[in-house]
Amino acid sequence: MPRRALVFGGSGQIGERLLAGLLADGWRVQAVSRAPRAAAPGLSWQQGDLSGDWRDDGPFDAVFSCGPLDHFARWYQAADFAAPRVVAFGSTSVEVKQDSREPAERDVARRLREAEAALFAAARARGVAATVLRPTLVYGAGRDATLTAIARLAARSGVFVLPAGADGLRQPVHVQDLADAALQVLRHPATAGHAYALGGGERLAYAEMVRRVLASLQPPPRLLRVPAPLFRGALALAHAMGRLRGMNAAALARMREPLVFDIDPARRDFGYAPRPFHPTRDMFGL
């Protein structure tokens, strides 16, 4: 009999790639969505959400969560559900934002940390092998809120402005490498009970990352480096106009900080092999 998977967040940028990988590997998949979606060979959609307002057609061999980890962990704790394998996506924000100057960001880190602990505890109590995957800076589907936003803003204006000193290291990771990782861990028992940071295959300075994004566009927009005080003033003006709300003081400070993670445990335990950062225009939906 084909293996069966239950997938949450299947309509998201990681989830849609994961669904394709599962189907290509011969799985039968039931995905949960708030909105009605068309079925496909091997794929059925169940309308509902993590509030539990839906009925599954189990049993399943594996459960995947590609959406908010705190909602999934809360559902999993309460659900009468015991598939032998659980793979859930979290975020490296659990570490990056735990000491942020912004209370909202510290709350994000706290919720992620508590969700991981709750998920692992519930899985252990059921004898289930659970793995959490923590992506860094995701790109590739034209749906992320960072690199795609940079590409689209630069494409419209013909220029992109960065403050001087925005050279903290980054590890952008392609969405396909994340979907592949979720399938890879199933084949490796050593991944049970562990959380893995999943960065891309290359570490590069923030400004260099932006340069490569701009170089992928036609014509390539200009990159301007301006003094940090001038940039902060322009950002304050943008906030007053209701723009760039996601770029707060903490995010600005992080541009100068090295946000890189050790991906060797993922390489060792399940053969994780992410690509280097060579973006193309289509990766930003342009």
PDB file of all heavy atoms in Angstrom, residues 16-38:
ATOM      1  N   GLU A  16       3.862  23.769  -0.844  1.00  0.00           N
ATOM      2  CA  GLU A  16       3.548  23.386  -2.214  1.00  0.00           C
ATOM      3  C   GLU A  16       4.678  22.555  -2.829  1.00  0.00           C
ATOM      4  O   GLU A  16       4.423  21.629  -3.608  1.00  0.00           O
ATOM      5  CB  GLU A  16       3.255  24.622  -3.061  1.00  0.00           C
ATOM      6  CG  GLU A  16       4.404  25.576  -3.238  1.00  0.00           C
ATOM      7  CD  GLU A  16       4.025  26.814  -4.038  1.00  0.00           C
ATOM      8  OE1 GLU A  16       2.811  27.017  -4.291  1.00  0.00           O
ATOM      9  OE2 GLU A  16       4.935  27.576  -4.420  1.00  0.00           O
ATOM     10  N   ARG A  17       5.926  22.847  -2.451  1.00  0.00           N
ATOM     11  CA  ARG A  17       7.055  22.040  -2.941  1.00  0.00           C
ATOM     12  C   ARG A  17       7.067  20.672  -2.258  1.00  0.00           C
ATOM     13  O   ARG A  17       7.408  19.662  -2.887  1.00  0.00           O
ATOM     14  CB  ARG A  17       8.377  22.764  -2.681  1.00  0.00           C
ATOM     15  CG  ARG A  17       8.513  24.137  -3.320  1.00  0.00           C
ATOM     16  CD  ARG A  17       8.571  24.068  -4.825  1.00  0.00           C
ATOM     17  NE  ARG A  17       8.743  25.368  -5.431  1.00  0.00           N
ATOM     18  CZ  ARG A  17       9.895  25.833  -5.919  1.00  0.00           C
ATOM     19  NH1 ARG A  17      10.998  25.088  -5.854  1.00  0.00           N
ATOM     20  NH2 ARG A  17       9.961  27.027  -6.480  1.00  0.00           N
ATOM     21  N   LEU A  18       6.698  20.640  -0.988  1.00  0.00           N
ATOM     22  CA  LEU A  18       6.648  19.372  -0.270  1.00  0.00           C
ATOM     23  C   LEU A  18       5.576  18.463  -0.864  1.00  0.00           C
ATOM     24  O   LEU A  18       5.813  17.261  -1.043  1.00  0.00           O
ATOM     25  CB  LEU A  18       6.374  19.614   1.208  1.00  0.00           C
ATOM     26  CG  LEU A  18       6.173  18.360   2.064  1.00  0.00           C
ATOM     27  CD1 LEU A  18       7.412  17.479   2.061  1.00  0.00           C
ATOM     28  CD2 LEU A  18       5.778  18.735   3.493  1.00  0.00           C
ATOM     29  N   LEU A  19       4.412  19.011  -1.171  1.00  0.00           N
ATOM     30  CA  LEU A  19       3.355  18.203  -1.789  1.00  0.00           C
ATOM     31  C   LEU A  19       3.844  17.580  -3.090  1.00  0.00           C
ATOM     32  O   LEU A  19       3.617  16.389  -3.344  1.00  0.00           O
ATOM     33  CB  LEU A  19       2.118  19.061  -2.061  1.00  0.00           C
ATOM     34  CG  LEU A  19       1.324  19.559  -0.862  1.00  0.00           C
ATOM     35  CD1 LEU A  19       0.110  20.355  -1.330  1.00  0.00           C
ATOM     36  CD2 LEU A  19       0.878  18.411   0.032  1.00  0.00           C
ATOM     37  N   ALA A  20       4.512  18.374  -3.910  1.00  0.00           N
ATOM     38  CA  ALA A  20       5.028  17.859  -5.176  1.00  0.00           C
ATOM     39  C   ALA A  20       6.029  16.731  -4.942  1.00  0.00           C
ATOM     40  O   ALA A  20       6.022  15.713  -5.642  1.00  0.00           O
ATOM     41  CB  ALA A  20       5.670  18.987  -5.982  1.00  0.00           C
ATOM     42  N   GLY A  21       6.885  16.886  -3.937  1.00  0.00           N
ATOM     43  CA  GLY A  21       7.870  15.854  -3.637  1.00  0.00           C
ATOM     44  C   GLY A  21       7.236  14.577  -3.131  1.00  0.00           C
ATOM     45  O   GLY A  21       7.655  13.468  -3.512  1.00  0.00           O
ATOM     46  N   LEU A  22       6.239  14.698  -2.280  1.00  0.00           N
ATOM     47  CA  LEU A  22       5.544  13.519  -1.766  1.00  0.00           C
ATOM     48  C   LEU A  22       4.857  12.758  -2.888  1.00  0.00           C
ATOM     49  O   LEU A  22       4.949  11.519  -2.987  1.00  0.00           O
ATOM     50  CB  LEU A  22       4.520  13.939  -0.716  1.00  0.00           C
ATOM     51  CG  LEU A  22       5.066  14.362   0.649  1.00  0.00           C
ATOM     52  CD1 LEU A  22       3.988  15.087   1.451  1.00  0.00           C
ATOM     53  CD2 LEU A  22       5.588  13.157   1.425  1.00  0.00           C
ATOM     54  N   LEU A  23       4.165  13.478  -3.760  1.00  0.00           N
ATOM     55  CA  LEU A  23       3.446  12.828  -4.850  1.00  0.00           C
ATOM     56  C   LEU A  23       4.425  12.161  -5.813  1.00  0.00           C
ATOM     57  O   LEU A  23       4.188  11.044  -6.283  1.00  0.00           O
ATOM     58  CB  LEU A  23       2.579  13.843  -5.588  1.00  0.00           C
ATOM     59  CG  LEU A  23       1.435  14.445  -4.763  1.00  0.00           C
ATOM     60  CD1 LEU A  23       0.730  15.546  -5.547  1.00  0.00           C
ATOM     61  CD2 LEU A  23       0.442  13.371  -4.344  1.00  0.00           C
ATOM     62  N   ALA A  24       5.537  12.828  -6.093  1.00  0.00           N
ATOM     63  CA  ALA A  24       6.539  12.236  -6.986  1.00  0.00           C
ATOM     64  C   ALA A  24       7.151  10.978  -6.388  1.00  0.00           C
ATOM     65  O   ALA A  24       7.574  10.079  -7.115  1.00  0.00           O
ATOM     66  CB  ALA A  24       7.636  13.261  -7.284  1.00  0.00           C
ATOM     67  N   ASP A  25       7.156  10.900  -5.044  1.00  0.00           N
ATOM     68  CA  ASP A  25       7.717   9.745  -4.352  1.00  0.00           C
ATOM     69  C   ASP A  25       6.686   8.654  -4.099  1.00  0.00           C
ATOM     70  O   ASP A  25       6.978   7.667  -3.419  1.00  0.00           O
ATOM     71  CB  ASP A  25       8.312  10.206  -3.016  1.00  0.00           C
ATOM     72  CG  ASP A  25       9.430   9.293  -2.534  1.00  0.00           C
ATOM     73  OD1 ASP A  25      10.044   8.614  -3.369  1.00  0.00           O
ATOM     74  OD2 ASP A  25       9.662   9.240  -1.307  1.00  0.00           O
ATOM     75  N   GLY A  26       5.481   8.836  -4.631  1.00  0.00           N
ATOM     76  CA  GLY A  26       4.470   7.796  -4.548  1.00  0.00           C
ATOM     77  C   GLY A  26       3.577   7.814  -3.331  1.00  0.00           C
ATOM     78  O   GLY A  26       2.824   6.868  -3.093  1.00  0.00           O
ATOM     79  N   TRP A  27       3.632   8.894  -2.547  1.00  0.00           N
ATOM     80  CA  TRP A  27       2.768   9.004  -1.372  1.00  0.00           C
ATOM     81  C   TRP A  27       1.343   9.353  -1.786  1.00  0.00           C
ATOM     82  O   TRP A  27       1.122  10.008  -2.808  1.00  0.00           O
ATOM     83  CB  TRP A  27       3.263  10.092  -0.431  1.00  0.00           C
ATOM     84  CG  TRP A  27       4.511   9.782   0.323  1.00  0.00           C
ATOM     85  CD1 TRP A  27       5.777   9.670  -0.189  1.00  0.00           C
ATOM     86  CD2 TRP A  27       4.634   9.562   1.739  1.00  0.00           C
ATOM     87  NE1 TRP A  27       6.680   9.401   0.816  1.00  0.00           N
ATOM     88  CE2 TRP A  27       6.000   9.333   2.010  1.00  0.00           C
ATOM     89  CE3 TRP A  27       3.728   9.564   2.793  1.00  0.00           C
ATOM     90  CZ2 TRP A  27       6.480   9.081   3.288  1.00  0.00           C
ATOM     91  CZ3 TRP A  27       4.198   9.326   4.078  1.00  0.00           C
ATOM     92  CH2 TRP A  27       5.559   9.080   4.313  1.00  0.00           C
ATOM     93  N   ARG A  28       0.379   8.936  -0.981  1.00  0.00           N
ATOM     94  CA  ARG A  28      -0.969   9.471  -1.037  1.00  0.00           C
ATOM     95  C   ARG A  28      -1.066  10.542   0.039  1.00  0.00           C
ATOM     96  O   ARG A  28      -0.689  10.313   1.194  1.00  0.00           O
ATOM     97  CB  ARG A  28      -2.009   8.383  -0.800  1.00  0.00           C
ATOM     98  CG  ARG A  28      -2.141   7.401  -1.950  1.00  0.00           C
ATOM     99  CD  ARG A  28      -3.115   6.291  -1.601  1.00  0.00           C
ATOM    100  NE  ARG A  28      -4.420   6.830  -1.221  1.00  0.00           N
ATOM    101  CZ  ARG A  28      -5.296   6.192  -0.447  1.00  0.00           C
ATOM    102  NH1 ARG A  28      -4.988   5.005   0.062  1.00  0.00           N
ATOM    103  NH2 ARG A  28      -6.465   6.735  -0.179  1.00  0.00           N
ATOM    104  N   VAL A  29      -1.584  11.710  -0.338  1.00  0.00           N
ATOM    105  CA  VAL A  29      -1.500  12.878   0.542  1.00  0.00           C
ATOM    106  C   VAL A  29      -2.886  13.456   0.809  1.00  0.00           C
ATOM    107  O   VAL A  29      -3.688  13.632  -0.117  1.00  0.00           O
ATOM    108  CB  VAL A  29      -0.612  13.972  -0.086  1.00  0.00           C
ATOM    109  CG1 VAL A  29      -0.499  15.170   0.852  1.00  0.00           C
ATOM    110  CG2 VAL A  29       0.770  13.417  -0.409  1.00  0.00           C
ATOM    111  N   GLN A  30      -3.138  13.747   2.078  1.00  0.00           N
ATOM    112  CA  GLN A  30      -4.284  14.560   2.458  1.00  0.00           C
ATOM    113  C   GLN A  30      -3.755  15.856   3.023  1.00  0.00           C
ATOM    114  O   GLN A  30      -2.972  15.852   3.975  1.00  0.00           O
ATOM    115  CB  GLN A  30      -5.162  13.867   3.494  1.00  0.00           C
ATOM    116  CG  GLN A  30      -6.361  14.722   3.932  1.00  0.00           C
ATOM    117  CD  GLN A  30      -7.302  13.973   4.865  1.00  0.00           C
ATOM    118  OE1 GLN A  30      -7.700  12.850   4.575  1.00  0.00           O
ATOM    119  NE2 GLN A  30      -7.623  14.586   5.992  1.00  0.00           N
ATOM    120  N   ALA A  31      -4.145  16.962   2.422  1.00  0.00           N
ATOM    121  CA  ALA A  31      -3.702  18.276   2.868  1.00  0.00           C
ATOM    122  C   ALA A  31      -4.886  19.042   3.440  1.00  0.00           C
ATOM    123  O   ALA A  31      -6.022  18.879   2.991  1.00  0.00           O
ATOM    124  CB  ALA A  31      -3.076  19.053   1.709  1.00  0.00           C
ATOM    125  N   VAL A  32      -4.618  19.871   4.433  1.00  0.00           N
ATOM    126  CA  VAL A  32      -5.657  20.630   5.117  1.00  0.00           C
ATOM    127  C   VAL A  32      -5.546  22.100   4.715  1.00  0.00           C
ATOM    128  O   VAL A  32      -4.461  22.678   4.739  1.00  0.00           O
ATOM    129  CB  VAL A  32      -5.531  20.491   6.647  1.00  0.00           C
ATOM    130  CG1 VAL A  32      -6.623  21.283   7.356  1.00  0.00           C
ATOM    131  CG2 VAL A  32      -5.586  19.023   7.052  1.00  0.00           C
ATOM    132  N   SER A  33      -6.668  22.686   4.321  1.00  0.00           N
ATOM    133  CA  SER A  33      -6.681  24.083   3.901  1.00  0.00           C
ATOM    134  C   SER A  33      -7.973  24.746   4.366  1.00  0.00           C
ATOM    135  O   SER A  33      -9.029  24.113   4.394  1.00  0.00           O
ATOM    136  CB  SER A  33      -6.570  24.183   2.374  1.00  0.00           C
ATOM    137  OG  SER A  33      -6.743  25.518   1.936  1.00  0.00           O
ATOM    138  N   ARG A  34      -7.872  26.032   4.705  1.00  0.00           N
ATOM    139  CA  ARG A  34      -9.084  26.765   5.081  1.00  0.00           C
ATOM    140  C   ARG A  34     -10.007  26.957   3.880  1.00  0.00           C
ATOM    141  O   ARG A  34     -11.225  26.992   4.033  1.00  0.00           O
ATOM    142  CB  ARG A  34      -8.715  28.140   5.648  1.00  0.00           C
ATOM    143  CG  ARG A  34      -8.003  28.114   6.984  1.00  0.00           C
ATOM    144  CD  ARG A  34      -7.880  29.524   7.542  1.00  0.00           C
ATOM    145  NE  ARG A  34      -7.178  29.537   8.810  1.00  0.00           N
ATOM    146  CZ  ARG A  34      -5.864  29.706   8.927  1.00  0.00           C
ATOM    147  NH1 ARG A  34      -5.133  29.865   7.844  1.00  0.00           N
ATOM    148  NH2 ARG A  34      -5.286  29.716  10.118  1.00  0.00           N
ATOM    149  N   ALA A  35      -9.429  27.108   2.695  1.00  0.00           N
ATOM    150  CA  ALA A  35     -10.217  27.357   1.485  1.00  0.00           C
ATOM    151  C   ALA A  35     -10.344  26.078   0.662  1.00  0.00           C
ATOM    152  O   ALA A  35      -9.438  25.240   0.669  1.00  0.00           O
ATOM    153  CB  ALA A  35      -9.553  28.445   0.651  1.00  0.00           C
ATOM    154  N   PRO A  36     -11.437  25.902  -0.057  1.00  0.00           N
ATOM    155  CA  PRO A  36     -11.571  24.730  -0.938  1.00  0.00           C
ATOM    156  C   PRO A  36     -10.490  24.745  -2.017  1.00  0.00           C
ATOM    157  O   PRO A  36     -10.176  25.797  -2.582  1.00  0.00           O
ATOM    158  CB  PRO A  36     -12.967  24.915  -1.559  1.00  0.00           C
ATOM    159  CG  PRO A  36     -13.674  25.883  -0.671  1.00  0.00           C
ATOM    160  CD  PRO A  36     -12.621  26.783  -0.103  1.00  0.00           C
ATOM    161  N   ARG A  37      -9.916  23.578  -2.288  1.00  0.00           N
ATOM    162  CA  ARG A  37      -8.891  23.467  -3.319  1.00  0.00           C
ATOM    163  C   ARG A  37      -9.140  22.219  -4.143  1.00  0.00           C
ATOM    164  O   ARG A  37      -9.714  21.247  -3.661  1.00  0.00           O
ATOM    165  CB  ARG A  37      -7.479  23.427  -2.696  1.00  0.00           C
ATOM    166  CG  ARG A  37      -7.136  24.697  -1.948  1.00  0.00           C
ATOM    167  CD  ARG A  37      -5.728  24.694  -1.393  1.00  0.00           C
ATOM    168  NE  ARG A  37      -5.472  25.909  -0.635  1.00  0.00           N
ATOM    169  CZ  ARG A  37      -5.063  27.053  -1.167  1.00  0.00           C
ATOM    170  NH1 ARG A  37      -4.841  27.115  -2.470  1.00  0.00           N
ATOM    171  NH2 ARG A  37      -4.875  28.122  -0.413  1.00  0.00           N
ATOM    172  N   ALA A  38      -8.686  22.262  -5.375  1.00  0.00           N
ATOM    173  CA  ALA A  38      -8.940  21.160  -6.303  1.00  0.00           C
ATOM    174  C   ALA A  38      -8.047  19.974  -5.984  1.00  0.00           C
ATOM    175  O   ALA A  38      -6.845  20.127  -5.732  1.00  0.00           O
ATOM    176  CB  ALA A  38      -8.702  21.624  -7.738  1.00  0.00           C
TER     177      ALA A  38
END
